[in-house]
Amino acid sequence: MAPKQKQKKKSSRGKKSPKPILAASEDMEPVNMESMGHPEIYPLVLTTKTQEIFNCRIDEDVTDEQPYKLINKEDIFEDLRNRAAVSDFHPVKKIVQEYPGNELLLVYDKDFKYGLNFYLIGTEEGKENYLNRQVIPVLPSQHLQLLILDLIYALRLSPAAIGDLLILRLDLSDDAVHVHGAAPQTSVFCCCRRLHLVSSILFCCIACTQATPEAAAAHSGEAQGADAGTGPTHVGVAAEGPGARGASMCYLYCLHVLQITYMISQKRIEFGAPVKFSDQNASSVKDAYIECTAYPDKNFTLKQLEKDVGMQVIPQIKDISTQTEWTYPKNATIQYYPREFSEEEKETLKQSRPLVDFLNNASISVEIALQQNEIMNTFIDDWKYLAEEEGTFGDKTDTHLKEYQSFTDLHSPTEKMITCISWHPTIYGLIAVSVAVRLSFEDRVYFSGKLLLQPSLILFWSFSDPIHPQLMLESPDDIFCFKFCPSDPNIIAGGCINGQIVLWDITAHADRIENIKAGGSRSKKATLKPMFLLEPESNKEAMYIRHCAVSSIESGHKKVITDIHWLSDTFEINRMGSVFENRSGICCQLVTCSADCTICFWDIRPQKPLTPQTTEKKKEESIEIPFDVPSTFLHLDLSWKPLSKIRLSKGETSLDHCPTRISLNEDHLLYKTEDKTLTQSKTVKAGEMNPYHNLESGMANLLKPIDDFCTKFFVGTEDGEVIYTDWKMEKDPETGRHMPKKPVSIHTIHDGTVHTIQRSPFYNDIILTVGGWNVAIWKEGVMTGPLLQSCCAPKMYTSGHWSLTRPGVFYIGREDGYIDIWDLLEKTHEPAQSQNICITMITYIKPWIFSAKQQFIAIADYYGTLHILEIPWTLSRPSTNEMTSVNYYFEREVKHLEYVEQRKNIREQEKKEMELEMEKKKIKTYQKSKEQMEAELKMDYESYLELEKTVLINLGLLKVTEKGSYMDVV
Amino acid sequence: MNKWTNTGQGPGLLISSVPGPTATGLGEPQAEVEETLKRIQSHKGVIGTMVVNAEGIPIRTTLDNSTTVQYAGLLHQLTMKARSTVRDIDPQNDLTFLRIRSKKHEIMVAPDKEYLLIVIQNPCE
């Protein structure tokens, strides 16, 4: 269509160019309908006369059905010549003159569309358009489509080929169907409407098409001839182009009722062939490439300024379902609050008759059962009691301690004594012993130079090796007391003779001492072999371990430290002695007492308010420290100062009490932690991460104070006093200083230095004290005196310890090498038995539970030998009710003490009363009057006379007659 | 029981005065309950006595609340189980008394349709 339009435009231009010339020659300018979009239409008025001339009378020649008439150009010229200006064609004379064709198309404008009754088409294209267009508007229906489809099917055309290869030209004049064209299938199909009549005709056509090209060519002439003809049904097929060219063209004309112009053009060899697509160069083929350049579309550059948007909030709903594994149904209920009756309900229930009936019935049977139990214990285990009795009446030989092993340090050149013993809390058969040179103070001073050369040691002995110590802990001076840390057995704290506290960390050697167990078999061989054979091997094993830290010389104790204790991991104390909770969960505080009359509390954690000076010092020291010393307590070394210091003043005199032993409330707990499983788990923990390696300073954050904590403790002194006092400081109202409280009680019971103050492992409040020549047992809270005080023994007592399994048994070591075993259930006035252990003074006793059936006691003597003895069954196994019976004994003693105290008061009162009476009497005698005195004298004289008479009668000096007189006198 | 019925249902009393029997009816069972429990409690070694209803809810106890609740709940279950055991074996049989001897105590349970009487005794005392 486009090219046609172009042509039209060209033609219009071509027309226009001569127009001005014509306009110049003739005034008349034909009026076309350019304003209405049809420049080729020139409206005319044709009079009836003109209509007659040109055979175009309205309703006769031109009708609604045939509204046009083709008029010969010559006829118009003739008319123009005949009628000149009168001619109706005069206004369009110019058009007619310039018209290229022979016939002009005159159209009857019935509706006066262009204003006049006729109009003339001024161009050839316009004529053709009019003639063609006339049939388009009303198109038949789907029949044409069917037709086309049939055709396509008949021609074996692939549907893809339809678009470009098929050019249809259908003219259906009857139903005004004119399909022509350019025919991409869209336009064809949209034009195709009803045409079922045609299908048969088309079949003919198709049959022809399928004939050979020669046959088609033979028909073509006929077909062309039929073109102009008006036969009723004429079908012609024109095949144009020879077969050599491979193309054929079919013309199909159907005339009569309808006219079909059908043009199919396709290369013959491509009929029915599959379509092949291929790439081609766009530049090589003309018009193969159409460029569509981008350009801004003004329609879309408009800026939106306002917009109406409606919104409605809709709740989002999601349907989700899952399918879980379904096992089996189970009814489960949890009642977390007990059901209870209210008071009223209870009252009404109690008053209800059924309850009373029930109780009356039930009480009988219950009471029968109760009475049965009262009468006899049916379920008593006689065998158990039988065995018990057997045990108590067992052999006497069984009660003796049996020598198991003994250790002596053969390597030390000087003679030494053992000062302290401690069993390793976790490792079987490992015992630590501190040794000190056996010298008096004067000798010690005298030999001090010599003593410096040899190390002061704590030796670790193992059951598996009786000759060589497993570890040797070095210290600056002789150790007089030491303790394993309850939370980590690899930490050991000891007190020196010079007043320093020493700390060791043997974590690095823990494996070594634990693995001795494996060497158990070796020890047997070792006893068989001569000693010198073993020497080199074991020398290698002997380990000297340096201490980690020692306390400051200036600010610590001045004299020998006599006792040291770890405070329990449950609490910690501050400078004032107030007790706080211990958050670290490990033991990190120590308490020591020394012969310089002070008791000190120490904290192994670094103190926060450190002056820069001391930190510098520390740095310097850290350089000096050899590499083999663990840095656990580096922060303490030589700068460690006590947290607080307590001085036990005697009050009136300037002298102080000199403590030798202390016992805190928590001591018994430490025994409990010696329970094997507990400590083992603790060591495992320690192995994972040793808390002592990253100690944080205590007291840094606010700790919760423990209010109801008993801060009182027992102290034994050099003078044999047992003091019960408080470590909590109190503010002196006068000076404002914090002063230690006055002791709760002081008793001088012992006639020598107190060397043992120990709480019973069974009763928290029972304390054993040993000192001088006697033993005493105390109860905390009963401070009138000891529950038990033994009489003076012939030999001095030097050490003591409670039995770990029998509440009523304790061991006392004597200076003559004997062990006194006290059994409170058997005797309370003297030891149950005595046994000789060695020839010299026993310095320390420490029992140890190895298993339920085996117990050992370590006894150290003055000559440096450590005896390990096995405790017999009778001394280790408690009888069934020993705990309660011993407790009962203590209670009885308490009552006795109370009674004695009461008696004392009563006696004092009585004494006072007596004295008062005596005084009263005396006063009375002085108050007596003289008369009374005379009367009394008279009485005395009369009694004298009587006596004289009776004597005389008896002697026969007086006569009987005088008897009567005597009687009268009476 | 007899006493109660006599006094409570005595026709003369009922006729003569209405508040009379109600007063005695309220006061006497209460006193009787207390008396019985006191008598049981006074036996040697008795630690506690409690009366529990059929659902295991304590009605009367001489022990503290938490202990009572625990005992009541547990022993109620045990007694029900014991009773069902006895009945399963012989449907005509029924549990009349349950004695549990432990290391420390003996627990006696006297069951009934509606109530349980639980007594805890220390027989070794």
Side-chain angles (χ1 to χ4, degrees):
Chain A
M1 289 303 235
K4 278 185 183 173
Q5 275 175 351
K6 267 186 186 174
Q7 274 182 344
K8 204 191 286 171
K9 276 181 187 169
K10 271 183 190 170
S11 65
S12 67
R13 271 186 218 148
K15 257 186 262 168
K16 270 181 185 174
S17 56
K19 252 181 211 169
I21 308 158
L22 286 168
S25 60
E26 296 187 40
D27 293 325
M28 284 291 281
E29 176 68 26
V31 182
N32 63 13
M33 294 313 288
E34 205 161 7
S35 58
M36 289 177 79
H38 294 280
E40 77 279 5
I41 290 171
Y42 299 89
L44 284 176
V45 179
L46 296 188
T47 54
T48 42
K49 182 83 192 292
T50 320
Q51 288 171 16
E52 278 169 21
I53 295 167
F54 287 97
N55 291 325
C56 54
R57 282 162 301 197
I58 292 167
D59 297 330
E60 282 173 34
D61 298 320
V62 283
T63 54
D64 283 350
E65 286 137 19
Q66 187 91 20
Y68 58 88
K69 180 94 185 170
L70 288 168
I71 300 166
N72 255 331
K73 204 176 172 181
E74 293 303 321
D75 294 341
I76 299 171
F77 284 142
E78 205 183 316
D79 186 59
L80 281 171
R81 274 195 298 271
N82 295 339
R83 298 203 288 176
V86 189
S87 171
D88 290 332
F89 288 100
H90 188 256
V92 293
K93 185 184 173 185
K94 215 187 285 172
I95 309 296
V96 179
Q97 280 173 346
E98 285 170 11
Y99 194 77
N102 284 327
E103 285 178 324
L104 281 149
L105 183 68
L106 187 70
V107 182
Y108 164 50
D109 194 358
K110 189 192 173 192
D111 303 323
F112 291 89
K113 205 171 163 190
Y114 300 107
L116 300 174
N117 59 350
F118 282 90
Y119 60 86
L120 195 75
I121 308 272
T123 58
E124 194 74 9
E125 293 95 24
K127 187 177 95 179
E128 271 177 40
N129 276 348
Y130 178 82
L131 289 172
N132 292 340
R133 184 200 57 187
Q134 215 178 3
V135 285
I136 290 167
V138 193
L139 284 175
S141 64
Q142 66 270 22
H143 300 295
L144 186 62
Q145 191 177 345
L146 286 170
L147 160 76
I148 305 285
L149 285 173
D150 286 344
L151 188 70
I152 288 160
Y153 175 76
L155 291 175
R156 303 280 194 278
L157 290 170
S158 66
I162 296 167
D164 28 37
L165 293 180
L166 195 67
I167 297 163
L168 293 177
R169 203 181 183 90
L170 292 183
D171 284 346
L172 306 172
S173 52
D174 176 40
D175 277 328
V177 174
H178 187 166
V179 181
H180 61 95
Q185 72 267 41
T186 46
S187 66
V188 172
F189 280 113
C190 77
C191 296
C192 293
R193 300 280 149 88
R194 130 188 80 106
L195 235 195
H196 78 280
L197 279 174
V198 189
S199 63
S200 59
I201 303 161
L202 275 173
F203 263 124
C204 303
C205 150
I206 287 150
C208 293
T209 326
Q210 279 179 332
T212 55
E214 288 79 21
H219 284 287
S220 69
E222 193 190 340
Q224 273 177 338
D227 189 15
T230 55
T233 306
H234 194 100
V235 175
V237 174
E240 257 188 17
R245 254 170 61 200
S248 68
M249 200 171 280
C250 300
Y251 287 105
L252 183 136
Y253 296 100
C254 292
L255 302 174
H256 176 62
V257 203
L258 49 97
Q259 185 189 24
I260 299 171
T261 310
Y262 218 107
M263 190 171 78
I264 301 160
S265 167
Q266 195 184 24
K267 277 185 179 175
R268 187 163 193 84
I269 49 165
E270 287 170 0
F271 268 11
V275 183
K276 282 174 192 166
F277 295 103
S278 62
D279 292 338
Q280 67 174 27
N281 194 353
S283 56
S284 62
V285 183
K286 206 188 169 190
D287 293 336
Y289 170 67
I290 299 158
E291 195 184 21
C292 297
T293 47
Y295 65 97
D297 192 343
K298 281 189 178 175
N299 289 332
F300 300 104
T301 54
L302 286 171
K303 200 175 180 183
Q304 193 175 33
L305 293 173
E306 204 177 332
K307 196 176 183 180
D308 273 339
V309 178
M311 275 174 73
Q312 193 173 2
V313 180
I314 298 163
Q316 279 190 350
I317 298 169
K318 257 187 188 175
D319 282 335
I320 295 173
S321 63
T322 55
Q323 196 170 4
T324 51
E325 204 174 303
W326 186 82
T327 51
Y328 58 92
K330 196 175 177 183
N331 289 328
T333 53
I334 295 171
Q335 192 178 356
Y336 55 89
Y337 198 79
R339 289 164 71 198
E340 272 177 77
F341 285 124
S342 66
E343 283 301 319
E344 297 101 60
E345 282 173 324
K346 275 185 190 173
E347 282 302 309
T348 49
L349 272 169
K350 274 180 207 169
Q351 284 157 10
S352 71
R353 200 179 143 191
L355 181 69
V356 178
D357 292 345
F358 158 73
L359 271 179
N360 283 331
N361 288 329
S363 62
I364 298 162
S365 53
V366 168
E367 276 181 290
I368 290 167
L370 286 170
Q371 275 173 353
Q372 279 175 2
N373 284 340
E374 280 167 42
I375 292 161
M376 204 185 91
N377 189 359
T378 332
F379 298 91
I380 196 160
D381 186 359
D382 292 327
W383 292 108
K384 202 173 143 194
Y385 282 85
L386 195 66
E388 189 63 38
E389 279 173 17
E390 221 169 51
T392 46
F393 293 109
D395 293 342
K396 281 287 170 192
T397 52
D398 229 355
T399 61
H400 283 280
L401 303 172
K402 274 177 278 180
E403 180 92 29
Y404 183 78
Q405 208 164 16
S406 67
F407 301 99
T408 317
D409 187 13
L410 300 165
H411 301 278
S412 67
T414 49
E415 290 161 329
K416 291 197 171 182
M417 60 180 269
I418 292 174
T419 52
C420 190
I421 309 171
S422 194
W423 291 91
H424 195 281
T426 53
I427 299 166
Y428 162 78
L430 196 67
I431 184 164
V433 162
S434 64
V435 289
V437 183
R438 205 161 64 212
L439 290 173
S440 67
F441 185 70
E442 284 81 7
D443 290 337
R444 196 175 266 275
V445 172
Y446 185 75
F447 291 118
S448 58
K450 207 175 166 188
L451 291 176
L452 273 174
L453 294 175
Q454 47 174 301
S456 308
L457 296 172
I458 290 179
L459 307 171
F460 276 69
W461 295 104
S462 170
F463 280 10
S464 52
D465 190 345
I467 292 151
H468 308 285
Q470 300 303 317
L471 288 178
M472 290 196 251
L473 308 186
E474 276 186 314
S475 73
D477 214 333
D478 284 352
I479 297 290
F480 270 71
C481 54
F482 69 96
K483 287 267 160 39
F484 285 97
C485 175
S487 12
D488 184 358
N490 292 322
I491 308 282
I492 300 151
C496 280
I497 192 167
N498 63 359
Q500 279 181 303
I501 297 181
V502 191
L503 284 172
W504 290 272
D505 182 2
I506 55 164
T507 315
H509 311 278
D511 287 340
R512 193 188 143 79
I513 50 174
E514 272 165 34
N515 292 335
I516 310 164
K517 280 184 207 169
S521 58
R522 192 180 61 100
S523 70
K524 278 176 192 168
K525 283 178 197 166
T527 48
L528 296 172
K529 279 182 189 171
M531 218 176 67
F532 60 88
L533 286 176
L534 280 164
E535 207 113 326
E537 181 204 355
S538 49
N539 263 354
K540 262 186 253 165
E541 284 181 27
M543 288 283 287
Y544 287 94
I545 296 166
R546 270 183 61 104
H547 52 84
C548 280
V550 289
S551 63
S552 156
I553 298 166
E554 298 87 28
S555 48
H557 290 294
K558 304 286 183 289
K559 286 186 188 169
V560 55
I561 294 172
T562 51
D563 204 2
I564 188 163
H565 290 278
W566 288 90
L567 292 190
S568 160
D569 56 359
T570 54
F571 69 96
E572 58 183 63
I573 67 163
N574 71 352
R575 233 165 254 287
M576 297 300 110
S578 312
V579 181
F580 296 91
E581 57 165 359
N582 186 343
R583 287 220 184 118
S584 53
I586 52 167
C587 297
C588 47
Q589 287 187 327
L590 287 158
V591 58
T592 56
C593 69
S594 160
D596 65 352
C597 304
T598 53
I599 292 167
C600 287
F601 288 91
W602 307 77
D603 199 316
I604 60 169
R605 293 168 294 193
Q607 296 297 307
K608 265 208 170 170
L610 275 174
T611 54
Q613 205 184 346
T614 52
T615 48
E616 275 170 33
K617 243 190 200 175
K618 263 173 71 187
K619 275 177 194 168
E620 284 166 26
E621 282 161 13
S622 66
I623 299 159
E624 289 167 24
I625 274 167
F627 68 96
D628 60 329
V629 174
S631 60
T632 321
F633 301 111
L634 195 64
H635 55 275
L636 298 172
D637 201 17
L638 287 170
S639 61
W640 195 13
K641 284 169 189 163
L643 194 66
S644 64
K645 219 173 212 183
I646 299 170
R647 194 170 279 275
L648 300 164
S649 66
K650 271 181 178 169
E652 61 273 2
T653 60
S654 57
L655 287 169
D656 295 327
H657 293 291
C658 176
T660 51
R661 286 283 185 269
I662 47 178
S663 164
L664 301 181
N665 197 13
E666 293 293 312
D667 264 9
H668 71 287
L669 282 177
L670 301 188
Y671 284 109
K672 279 182 185 168
T673 53
E674 276 176 6
D675 187 7
K676 277 200 170 177
T677 52
L678 235 175
T679 37
Q680 264 169 7
S681 68
K682 274 192 177 175
T683 49
V684 167
K685 256 192 240 163
E688 281 165 2
M689 201 199 76
N690 197 334
Y692 286 96
H693 284 299
N694 40 13
L695 288 165
E696 283 171 15
S697 110
M699 304 295 171
N701 27 8
L702 288 170
L703 296 169
K704 209 172 88 188
I706 307 170
D707 293 327
D708 55 344
F709 193 86
C710 180
T711 55
K712 297 189 178 68
F713 64 109
F714 282 87
V715 182
T717 67
E718 208 164 19
D719 304 327
E721 295 146 321
V722 175
I723 303 170
Y724 186 54
T725 186
D726 198 333
W727 74 61
K728 220 172 190 172
M729 308 273 198
E730 66 179 2
K731 224 172 191 178
D732 193 356
E734 288 170 18
T735 57
R737 277 186 193 171
H738 286 276
M739 297 286 287
K741 283 179 185 170
K742 279 192 176 171
V744 180
S745 66
I746 301 176
H747 292 273
T748 312
I749 293 290
H750 300 289
D751 32 20
T753 306
V754 176
H755 48 73
T756 304
I757 283 205
Q758 205 174 62
R759 270 169 207 268
S760 164
F762 297 93
Y763 313 100
N764 186 20
D765 51 352
I766 299 292
I767 295 107
L768 170 77
T769 61
V770 185
W773 283 263
N774 59 359
V775 177
I777 293 173
W778 307 77
K779 188 179 170 82
E780 194 171 5
V782 181
M783 280 296 118
T784 49
L787 300 184
L788 173 88
Q789 186 185 359
S790 73
C791 60
C792 278
K795 294 286 176 185
M796 206 166 101
Y797 289 146
T798 50
S799 61
H801 205 287
W802 283 103
S803 163
L804 297 180
T805 45
R806 286 194 59 186
V809 172
F810 51 90
Y811 309 97
I812 305 291
R814 301 196 324 210
E815 62 174 344
D816 58 352
Y818 274 82
I819 281 267
D820 279 355
I821 302 165
W822 287 70
D823 187 347
L824 294 177
L825 288 180
E826 201 176 328
K827 290 175 194 170
T828 55
H829 64 285
E830 60 176 12
Q833 64 185 76
S834 294
Q835 189 180 345
N836 189 12
I837 304 296
C838 53
I839 51 163
T840 180
M841 184 172 88
I842 289 168
T843 55
Y844 212 90
I845 297 174
K846 194 101 183 179
W848 181 55
I849 306 168
F850 164 58
S851 67
K853 289 184 177 175
Q854 205 173 21
Q855 276 190 41
F856 293 108
I857 185 162
I859 296 167
D861 68 13
Y862 189 64
Y863 288 164
T865 310
L866 178 69
H867 306 268
I868 308 288
L869 294 101
E870 196 175 342
I871 299 171
W873 178 250
T874 44
L875 286 176
S876 58
R877 202 198 125 86
S879 54
T880 38
N881 289 328
E882 182 157 345
M883 183 95 176
T884 45
S885 47
V886 171
N887 196 31
Y888 180 60
Y889 164 72
F890 288 139
E891 275 172 20
R892 214 169 52 211
E893 287 300 322
V894 171
K895 274 179 194 163
H896 175 241
L897 270 179
E898 281 167 6
Y899 174 74
V900 167
E901 200 67 13
Q902 280 177 359
R903 288 300 294 178
K904 259 187 195 169
N905 291 336
I906 291 165
R907 288 285 176 205
E908 271 174 22
Q909 274 190 353
E910 277 179 356
K911 210 177 175 183
K912 275 178 189 170
E913 277 170 19
M914 290 267 281
E915 276 172 5
L916 272 174
E917 268 179 30
M918 285 290 284
E919 273 177 25
K920 268 181 192 170
K921 272 182 187 173
K922 275 181 188 172
I923 292 161
K924 267 180 188 171
T925 50
Y926 285 122
Q927 280 174 345
K928 278 171 185 169
S929 63
K930 280 184 180 176
E931 289 165 11
Q932 280 173 320
M933 291 274 279
E934 278 174 9
E936 276 177 12
L937 282 172
K938 204 177 178 182
M939 288 270 281
D940 284 347
Y941 179 68
E942 278 172 6
S943 60
Y944 166 73
L945 283 177
E946 266 176 49
L947 187 72
E948 193 184 31
K949 269 179 191 172
T950 48
V951 171
L952 286 173
I953 287 163
N954 288 344
L955 289 172
L957 293 172
L958 274 178
K959 281 167 189 172
V960 190
T961 51
E962 284 177 313
K963 259 188 185 172
S965 68
Y966 165 72
M967 292 297 285
D968 292 334
V969 173
V970 175
Chain B
M1 187 179 151
N2 285 331
K3 206 167 54 178
W4 195 89
T5 48
N6 281 341
T7 51
Q9 293 182 336
L13 274 169
L14 272 172
I15 294 156
S16 65
S17 61
V18 181
T22 50
T24 51
L26 280 172
E28 206 166 292
Q30 175 92 24
E32 218 175 314
V33 167
E34 292 302 321
E35 193 190 307
T36 316
L37 290 174
K38 207 184 270 176
R39 198 170 67 236
I40 292 167
Q41 190 69 25
S42 67
H43 275 274
K44 199 183 155 195
V46 173
I47 291 163
T49 312
M50 59 191 84
V51 181
V52 177
N53 80 344
E55 288 171 297
I57 308 170
I59 296 164
R60 176 68 167 72
T61 180
T62 59
L63 294 170
D64 66 288
N65 198 27
S66 58
T67 322
T68 307
V69 165
Q70 198 175 14
Y71 265 105
L74 295 172
L75 285 173
H76 172 256
Q77 286 181 26
L78 182 66
T79 312
M80 288 303 134
K81 188 75 195 162
R83 168 175 278 175
S84 69
T85 309
V86 170
R87 282 188 173 179
D88 281 353
I89 290 163
D90 179 3
Q92 289 179 330
N93 203 353
D94 198 3
L95 182 76
T96 55
F97 202 67
L98 182 67
R99 290 176 74 167
I100 302 149
R101 188 62 168 243
S102 64
K103 249 188 199 171
K104 292 179 180 173
H105 308 130
E106 172 158 324
I107 304 164
M108 295 158 209
V109 185
D112 198 355
K113 274 174 202 159
E114 285 173 64
Y115 302 102
L116 296 179
L117 174 66
I118 300 166
V119 179
I120 303 140
Q121 190 193 21
N122 183 0
C124 301
E125 232 173 57

